[in-house]
Amino acid sequence: MRQRSLRRDPGELHGDRRARGRTLCHASQACRYETDCESRVCTDHQCAAATCTDGANNGSETDVDCGGACPPCANGKFCQVPADCVSGVCTGSRCAVG
C-alpha cells in the first residue's frame, strides 16, 4: 500500500489534501480557503462545523442555511421534498407558492 506524502508544499495547510484532490478537511482542521473544508466554512484558518446560520450551503441543507435539518426555505430556493419549503410545495427542485 502506498503512503501519502506528509510533506507540505508552499500554500498548503493540511498536508497535500487540497493540492492532490484529497478528502476535504473536517471541523477543527487547518484551512486557508472555504473550499478546503467539508463545511465550506474556514474561520481563523480552521474549518468550522456546518450550522444553519453559517451562510454556506452545507450539511443536509438544500439551499443556503435552509431545508434538510435546517428551517424550511423561502420560495425560489432549492428543495428536495415539500418539507424543505415554507410553502410545503417543492416543484422542479425549487420551493414554490402553495
Side-chain angles (χ1 to χ4, degrees), residues 43-81:
T43 305
D44 296 326
H45 301 288
Q46 189 172 26
C47 292
T51 69
C52 295
T53 58
D54 56 20
N57 185 346
N58 53 22
S60 67
E61 299 167 3
T62 56
D63 208 304
V64 176
D65 295 338
C66 67
C70 295
C73 299
N75 292 337
K77 300 284 188 172
F78 285 104
C79 59
Q80 292 181 349
V81 296

Side-chain angles (χ1 to χ4, degrees), residues 6 10 19 26 31 33-34 39 46 48 57 59-60 64 68 71 75 83 87 93:
L6 297 178
H26 302 289
C31 60
Y33 307 104
E34 285 81 11
S39 67
Q46 189 172 26
N57 185 346
S60 67
V64 176
N75 292 337
S87 66
S93 298

Side-chain angles (χ1 to χ4, degrees), residues 6-61:
L6 297 178
R7 186 178 122 272
R8 292 182 185 193
D9 293 326
E12 291 180 35
L13 290 177
H14 195 76
D16 59 2
R17 288 175 190 259
R18 192 168 65 86
R20 302 201 184 252
R22 300 284 188 216
T23 302
L24 297 173
C25 297
H26 302 289
S28 77
Q29 290 182 319
C31 60
R32 174 168 271 169
Y33 307 104
E34 285 81 11
T35 54
D36 294 336
C37 306
E38 282 181 330
S39 67
R40 300 290 190 249
V41 179
C42 178
T43 305
D44 296 326
H45 301 288
Q46 189 172 26
C47 292
T51 69
C52 295
T53 58
D54 56 20
N57 185 346
N58 53 22
S60 67
E61 299 167 3

